[in-house]
């Protein structure tokens, strides 16, 4: 996830920016840059890779006197991690940094290109600085030009802009991506989270969506749709560890809460009313493709399993899924009409990478779905679709799973569109459901409190069975994996209909069953599977929108309009349950024993 810092005041600016960016390193990045204006002097430095590279490039530079400055760490989403794509982006006389995604950037870019403006980068961000200069060159004051620019942007942004046209001013705007203003004794700071300003500012104002404005001579002018407004600062908390986690106890918890927002980013510019747009895939990418094979490990394997139902049901394309470590040694039969998809959060998982290399040697076309641009798997694939989840720090994957599943769902619809195998009403229904998923991912206080309370009953026992049918079977596997990873309790995911073929022999009151009972998918079937377990005295925790009398514990979900929306809501429930059990057991939630975030060995 990108990071922003900004500073306006008399102090040395390079150090303030570099220190600030260092405090944002935990958010993950692949390039960084700064820009400073002091009087009529403009300085800009960018570097790919770690901040030391930027430090090295700026070692002979120090700012002097009053000035304005902005800095950025970039996590690639549009365009590779290169110096040209790193922020700040330059117009003719202005610089901009931006977090988020400008959904309509292609339309804006085309308009600007038609006006004769050339773009240096592949980013969506560069449109902001050129739009600003276009309006300013046409006679608007710098602030009017900024206002007009903001009015044109669709999507999510937190942005800072500085310009020689107003050398003592920083312009700012926020919509959908976090940004705050910090207040020191004689200066003003900006940042995308508290950490860069702790120890520097004493007070803070957290910008709301739709707010924008400018800072001049340490005075902040704040606006929203109703014009200029007053605002109330608050004291800044000084606990960095807490601030890095945005106040949550664990990164995993923060990442569960982030899912609603990042899902919006995953869909941005891709899920449109009229259909799915995937710019990453060139025209005709699916020509000659009659089947899909997916390889992945762990959680990514579970998102792949989910998608197999979607590819076959929605796009009518055959889809097989294999665990990468198994695929490698089975001497698989591969045919060139098969698209080979790898899924990986890190893009570095050794087994997945080797499976991909095998498929390439066999001449298959390859596509990766990944969270890290320029990772080995992305580089090795013919093309990649990024999940845009932002860095995931908790070893137990949460938002990566959610966004992978979303990308795969989009891809299934895209394939259906390309092949003409999905009809218009179904496509519309699916898109409507997609647009509802961010809501289904919101963690309410009531839900979290319920799972906290409930978790105390599930700290022992001789095992957990997570059961579900159809797409809820891979979700059951994922729920069990989450619990295993961070609670160290034994848990299995099982297809509900398969319990009577063996595992039901384990049923007694110490066998905990987490039953995924969606209203929209085989409800009656799963209900009778759960009744069979209940009749054998198994302890049942049912997750469903429909009340279920035989449950010992019941978590009532809210959404029951579409299986995928139910899927995502139930996913959050299983994640929170695992988290709360782990906390009660006193385990290290973010770094569970014996596990690593990225498994680069076989
Ligand atoms: O980075 P990848 O998605 O390729 O990683 C695959 C698995 O190692 C990973 O999903 C693992 O299972 C997680 N710890 C699950 O929470």
């Amino acid at each position: 996830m990108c990071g922003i810092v900004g500073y306006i005041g008399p102090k040395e600016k390079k150090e303030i920016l570099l220190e600030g960016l260092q405090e944002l390193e935990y958010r993950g990045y692949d390039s960084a840059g700064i820009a400073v204006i002091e009087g009529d002097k403009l300085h800009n430095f960018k570097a790919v890779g770690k901040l030391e590279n930027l430090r090295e490039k700026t070692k002979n530079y120090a700012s002097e006197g009053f000035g304005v400055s902005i800095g950025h760490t970039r996590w690639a989403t549009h365009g590779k991690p290169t110096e040209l794509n790193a922020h700040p982006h330059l117009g003719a006389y202005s610089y901009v940094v931006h977090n988020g995604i400008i959904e309509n950037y292609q339309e804006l870019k085309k308009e600007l290109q038609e006006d004769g403006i050339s773009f240096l980068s592949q980013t969506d961000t560069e449109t902001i600085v050129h739009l600003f200069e276009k309006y300013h060159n046409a006679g608007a004051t710098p602030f009017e030009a900024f206002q007009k620019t903001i009015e044109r942007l669709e999507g999510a942004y937190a942005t800072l802009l500085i310009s020689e046209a107003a050398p003592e001013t920083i312009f700012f705007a926020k919509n959908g991506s976090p940004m705050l203003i910090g207040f020191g004794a004689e200066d003003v700071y900006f940042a995308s989270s508290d950490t860069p300003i702790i120890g520097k500012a004493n007070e803070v104002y957290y910008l709301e969506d739709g707010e924008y404005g400018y800072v001049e001579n340490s005075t902040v002018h704040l606006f929203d749709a109703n014009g200029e407004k007053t605002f109330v600062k608050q004291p800044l908390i000084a606990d960095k560890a807490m601030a890095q986690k945005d106040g949550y106890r664990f990164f995993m918890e923060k990442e569960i809460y982030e899912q609603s927002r990042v899902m919006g980013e995953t869909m941005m510019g891709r899920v449109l009313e009229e259909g799915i747009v995937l710019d990453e895939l060139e025209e005709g990418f699916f020509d000659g493709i009659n089947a899909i094979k997916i390889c992945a490990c762990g959680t990514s394997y579970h998102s792949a399993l989910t998608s197999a139902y979607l590819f076959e049901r929605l796009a009518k394309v055959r889809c097989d899924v294999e665990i990468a470590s198994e695929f490698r040694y089975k001497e698989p039969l591969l045919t060139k009409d098969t698209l080979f998809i790898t899924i990986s959060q890190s893009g570095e998982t050794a087994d997945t990478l080797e499976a991909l290399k095998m498929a390439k040697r066999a001449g298959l076309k390859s596509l990766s779905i990944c969270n890290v641009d320029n990772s080995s798997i992305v580089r090795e694939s013919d093309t990649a679709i990024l999940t845009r989840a932002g860095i995931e720090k908790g070893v137990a994957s949460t938002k990566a799973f959610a966004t992978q599943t979303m990308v795969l769902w989009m891809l299934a619809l895209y394939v259906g569109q390309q092949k003409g195998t999905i009809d218009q009403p179904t496509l519309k229904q699916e898109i409507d459901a997609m647009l509802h998923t961010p809501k289904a991912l919101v963690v309410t206080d009531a839900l979290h409190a319920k799972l906290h309370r409930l978790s105390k009953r599930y700290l022992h026992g001789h095992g957990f069975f997570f059961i579900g049918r159809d797409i809820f079977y891979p979700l059951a596997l994922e729920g069990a994996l989450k619990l295993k990873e961070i609670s160290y309790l034994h848990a299995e995911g099982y297809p509900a209909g398969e319990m009577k073929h063996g595992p039901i022999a384990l049923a007694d009151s110490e066998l905990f069953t987490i039953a995924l009972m969606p209203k929209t998918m085989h409800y009656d079937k799963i209900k009778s599977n759960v009744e069979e377990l209940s009749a054998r005295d198994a302890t049942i925790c049912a997750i469903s929108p429909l009340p279920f009398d035989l449950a010992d514990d019941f978590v009532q979900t809210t959404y029951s309009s579409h299986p995928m929306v139910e899927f995502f809501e139930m996913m959050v429930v299983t994640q929170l349950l695992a988290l709360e059990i782990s906390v009660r057991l006193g385990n290290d939630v973010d770094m569970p024993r014996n596990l690593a975030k990225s498994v680069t060995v076989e």
Side-chain angles (χ1 to χ4, degrees), residues 296-302 343-350 352 369-370 377 392 394-398 400 404 478 481-482 485 592 595-599:
C297 302
T299 286
S300 300
Y301 169 70
H302 296 153
I343 306 176
S344 175
Q345 186 286 128
S346 62
E348 302 298 343
T349 302
T352 311
I369 292 170
C370 192
I377 288 175
E392 190 178 64
V395 165
S397 183
T398 50
Q404 286 167 347
E478 175 57 11
L481 178 64
K482 268 330 52 113
E485 283 187 291
L595 297 178
K597 184 68 189 159
S598 179
V599 185

Side-chain angles (χ1 to χ4, degrees), residues 15 50 106 145 219:
E15 261 325 301
K50 290 283 152 204
Q106 277 177 321
T219 306

